[in-house]
Amino acid sequence: MAGLYDASRDDFAAALGNQPAFRVKQLWEGLYQHFQQPSEILTLPKDVRETLTREFPPQLEETSVSVSDRGDTVKFLWRLIDGGHPIETVLMHYRDRATVCVSTQAGCAMACGFCATGQAGFNRHLTPGEIVEQVVRAARRSAERNQRVANIVFMGMGEPLANEESVWRAVERIHGDIGISARHLTISTVGIIPGIKALAARDLPVNLAVSMHAARNELRDELVPINRRYPIEDLMQACRDYLTVKNRRISFEWAMIAGVNDQPRDAEELARLARQLRPSAHVNLIPLNPTPGWPTKGSSKTAVYAFAKRLEELGVNVTVRQNRGTDIDAACGQLAAGQPVLMKTRSRAETI
Ligand code: SAH
């Protein structure tokens, strides 16, 4: 039997036997519009609720919820019912809307040394339903503050484009059933070229964010190891192709690492890449967040703003991102779901 959020309308119809067809509609609305559990959907007869509860269990078990930023950042730690792996989801409240950051894999195989998920390694792909359930459960929590979830970022644990098929099916449900427009969905990638191509062939114009972090192969090979397979020139070609088809601005993520990728030379190389795209890529800067397995620190505020200024002078649009939830390990790159991480024994400076 399928999990609650992996089940299709047909799966429900089959389980409900000779119930009238509108029962599935009531169920579907309860699940995806009101974020209810089957047991709470009181328009359904009691025996139907009981059947559904028995046959379609939720797929995530809540382990803990941590709160930071005076309640504005909420991190959920879940255990996958199927297999028991831990994953995390982050809900961020802003003045008039909320954003949910979802995981797409339990762990990650990309092995970026500065990312806690990468340090912990890979367990398995998430199913579409496990991705959707994160949105539903975060939206339910957000509704307690009368806040609607308006944006979804696929920036939690895992590499979305290494699990493109499931991510896409989750996108379709989030878009079609929960009703969040494609323009408010952002998929972030280390730069898996076949995944970018697959995404370009999909029919909704979701936003693409590329975790660039270095604009020369020598450095990117080290920071984002998949660069050895998909080097910058090829990645840029895939970005250009994506732009041609989707006509949506691409963003580049840049985690600023003190003395590593925050120098004037880096800004110039990055600007050159960003301007290769038409329209030019939008750069998001964020000081590197601390993780247990990476010795080098994030750039200072002064260095971040100097870098941003230099990019602007070079004609590139740039946003400096605020860190959220650093104290509860909910910030970018800190999601390890309590798993042990591999310690780097040598400092980065010694390895280059
Ligand atoms: N695997 C995808 C999705 C994860 S998104 C990707 O890499 O894009 C998480 C973002 O946070 C990525 O841009 C990632 O490079 C960045 N990140 C990872 N570790 C970080 C850290 N310690 N500090 C700041 N950003 C980090």
Side-chain angles (χ1 to χ4, degrees), residues 274-290:
R275 289 194 320 239
Q276 272 186 29
L277 302 182
R278 299 262 178 278
S280 154
H282 185 100
V283 173
N284 288 315
L285 298 178
I286 171 169
L288 186 84
N289 290 305

Side-chain angles (χ1 to χ4, degrees), residues 304-333:
V304 174
Y305 282 96
F307 195 85
K309 183 160 171 282
R310 185 72 192 119
L311 285 174
E312 274 168 359
E313 286 164 2
L314 294 167
V316 175
N317 284 317
V318 47
T319 305
V320 176
R321 295 261 166 223
Q322 302 308 318
N323 277 339
R324 283 284 196 116
T326 322
D327 53 332
I328 54 168
D329 285 348
C332 295

Side-chain angles (χ1 to χ4, degrees), residues 68-120:
S68 153
D69 302 324
R70 299 206 186 93
D72 285 348
T73 304
V74 181
K75 183 175 83 167
F76 303 87
L77 171 61
W78 316 104
R79 202 180 135 269
L80 300 177
I81 301 284
D82 178 3
H85 299 297
I87 63 157
E88 294 181 317
T89 306
V90 184
L91 166 66
M92 288 162 283
H93 294 288
Y94 296 92
R95 199 172 316 152
D96 52 351
R97 72 206 151 82
T99 295
V100 180
C101 176
V102 295
S103 293
T104 55
Q105 298 178 315
C108 186
M110 296 299 118
C112 303
F114 54 86
C115 173
T117 316
Q119 292 158 14

Side-chain angles (χ1 to χ4, degrees), residues 60 87 121 159 163 168-169 186 200 213 237 243 266 283 302 306 325 333:
L60 305 178
I87 63 157
E159 168 49 43
N163 186 19
W168 193 259
R169 279 161 55 205
T186 301
H213 306 314
Q237 185 58 49
L243 259 184
D266 299 295
V283 173
T302 320

Side-chain angles (χ1 to χ4, degrees), residues 114-115 154-156 158-160 188-190 211 213 253 255 287-289 291 332-333:
F114 54 86
C115 173
F154 294 79
M155 296 188 180
E159 168 49 43
S188 180
T189 180
V190 283
S211 297
H213 306 314
E253 312 294 305
L288 186 84
N289 290 305
T291 58
C332 295

Side-chain angles (χ1 to χ4, degrees), residues 164 194-204 238 241-243 245-246:
E164 198 269 343
I196 297 175
K197 288 189 173 149
L199 205 59
R202 302 290 190 179
D203 58 0
L204 294 170
D241 294 345
Y242 188 84
L243 259 184
V245 182
K246 296 285 177 204

